[in-house]
Amino acid sequence: MPELPEVETVARSLAPVVGRRIVAAEFRSTRVLRGGDPRSMAQRLRGRRIAGIERYGKFILMGLEGGGYLLIHLGMTGRLLLEGPAAKHTHAILTLDRGVLLYDDSRQFGCFQLSEEFPARLRQLGPEPLEVRFEDFARALRRRNTRIKALLLNQAFVRGIGNIYADETLFRAGIHPLARASRLGGGRARRLFDAMVAVLTEAIAAGGSSISDYVDARGRKGFFQFSHRVYQRTGGPCLTCGTPIRRLLVAARSSHFCPRCQKR
DNA sequence: ATCGGTACCTGCACGC
DNA sequence: TGCGTGCAGGTACCGA
């Protein structure tokens, strides 16, 4: 489900839990737990107050009062919900002193990780795409010989971009998904950077893209899917030139692009 | 050190 | 209606 704009929307919609105390925690699946069993994690969470919610790329970091962190990744189908009832794929239930927070994830690709220190995996991530300076972005591009689509998906390069926003960014920049990163000269690097910032900013303003089941913590859908120009539009006319949108595989992920507007 | 491919899981849309 | 296939917003891990 969730890339940077969706996770940002979820994180903002979780504002009501900040300051609340976790009175009980229940984990019904071990698959989504990283480094802990259901009982010990529940025990360690009980009684702790939620001090803050932050987003790091596609991760949601819940800071706990007195130190400690609950790190959450939504995978493909993870949802955090402020209202029940628990359903078939509800894997975690945090009962708060006021309200509840449920985690639902049909494919179970998401994860929960509880740590007393700042999670090491967050340090492996690249910069936020909405914070990185163009000069640093362009310099990093020059050092990579890989295909630009794969590089945008690489969380160590920039954090938070997934398949939708990689394709939409490349279309707006007029860059072919198979173009080599190191071959993007100053002009194309600039267009790529500007397109990335514009797409992500617009998508956040739209509350993200609801392709099938994505909703924020209050159950609200996003509407950026109506602004997609290439993603999942294979065969449809390019909105700029009318050429049919094509699909190919890059790094084992579907890539949608206009063969006329996006030259190699 | 970087890659491309595969595995992990469930659900859905599609063609037969 | 049922069944097989391919596809889906994610990352991790393997061998080359």
Side-chain angles (χ1 to χ4, degrees):
Chain A
M1 164 204 325
E3 305 181 31
L4 188 154
E6 291 77 30
V7 180
E8 176 67 23
T9 304
V10 170
R12 290 181 186 179
S13 70
L14 287 174
V17 307
V18 175
R20 302 269 57 83
R21 189 178 298 280
I22 298 167
V23 298
E26 178 189 348
F27 295 101
R28 299 178 171 180
S29 157
T30 53
R31 179 163 293 280
V32 298
L33 300 187
R34 209 47 73 82
D37 64 280
R39 286 174 68 193
S40 71
M41 275 186 64
Q43 190 174 21
R44 286 165 65 197
L45 280 171
R46 197 182 317 139
R48 298 177 90 162
R49 193 182 291 276
I50 298 169
I53 300 276
E54 280 182 278
R55 179 189 60 75
Y56 282 76
K58 300 173 192 170
F59 289 89
I60 289 171
L61 184 65
M62 182 184 288
L64 303 173
E65 192 178 62
Y69 301 90
L70 182 60
L71 183 64
I72 301 169
H73 196 292
L74 302 176
M76 292 273 257
T77 49
R79 309 158 96 165
L80 285 165
L81 300 166
L82 295 170
E83 263 184 46
K88 183 178 173 187
H89 296 297
T90 300
H91 305 302
I93 302 173
L94 301 187
T95 305
L96 309 175
D97 53 3
R98 196 168 70 218
V100 67
L101 183 60
L102 304 179
Y103 180 67
D104 187 279
D105 185 356
S106 64
R107 291 176 75 180
Q108 298 176 241
F109 287 170
C111 68
F112 273 61
Q113 182 177 332
L114 180 58
S115 61
E116 299 309 315
E117 324 256 294
F118 185 83
R121 25 196 325 205
L122 294 185
R123 293 192 212 285
Q124 330 246 10
L125 299 173
E128 283 287 333
L130 294 179
E131 291 172 6
V132 66
R133 290 168 46 232
F134 171 68
E135 292 72 25
D136 298 326
F137 179 80
R139 190 177 320 117
L141 270 185
R142 261 179 266 124
R143 283 194 264 111
R144 299 303 203 102
N145 198 31
T146 183
R147 334 213 92 133
I148 188 59
K149 170 69 186 279
L151 189 59
L152 290 175
L153 294 177
N154 182 347
Q155 303 298 297
F157 177 69
V158 281
R159 61 187 196 230
I161 295 179
N163 214 29
I164 295 176
Y165 299 104
D167 283 2
E168 293 299 319
T169 292
L170 289 171
F171 173 78
R172 292 215 201 175
I175 295 172
H176 194 285
L178 293 177
R180 296 278 171 186
S182 57
R183 307 270 305 274
L184 297 176
R188 292 208 295 170
R190 183 79 227 184
R191 272 192 288 148
L192 180 64
F193 180 84
D194 290 345
M196 171 181 79
V197 170
V199 165
L200 294 175
T201 303
E202 289 171 32
I204 290 171
S209 301
S210 289
I211 298 294
S212 63
D213 54 5
Y214 159 74
V215 289
D216 74 8
R218 286 191 162 130
R220 295 173 295 208
K221 291 186 173 202
F223 48 89
F224 193 71
Q225 66 276 16
F226 302 119
S227 299
H228 292 175
R229 299 186 191 171
V230 287
Y231 183 75
Q232 288 191 347
R233 291 197 60 243
T234 307
C238 170
L239 301 178
T240 302
C241 74
T243 304
I245 298 302
R246 293 238 287 263
R247 170 181 175 274
L248 58 76
L249 288 181
V250 185
R253 308 296 302 279
S254 282
S255 294
H256 313 79
F257 69 106
C258 170
R260 183 158 172 208
C261 296
Q262 295 169 264
K263 298 288 188 204
R264 272 236 232 181

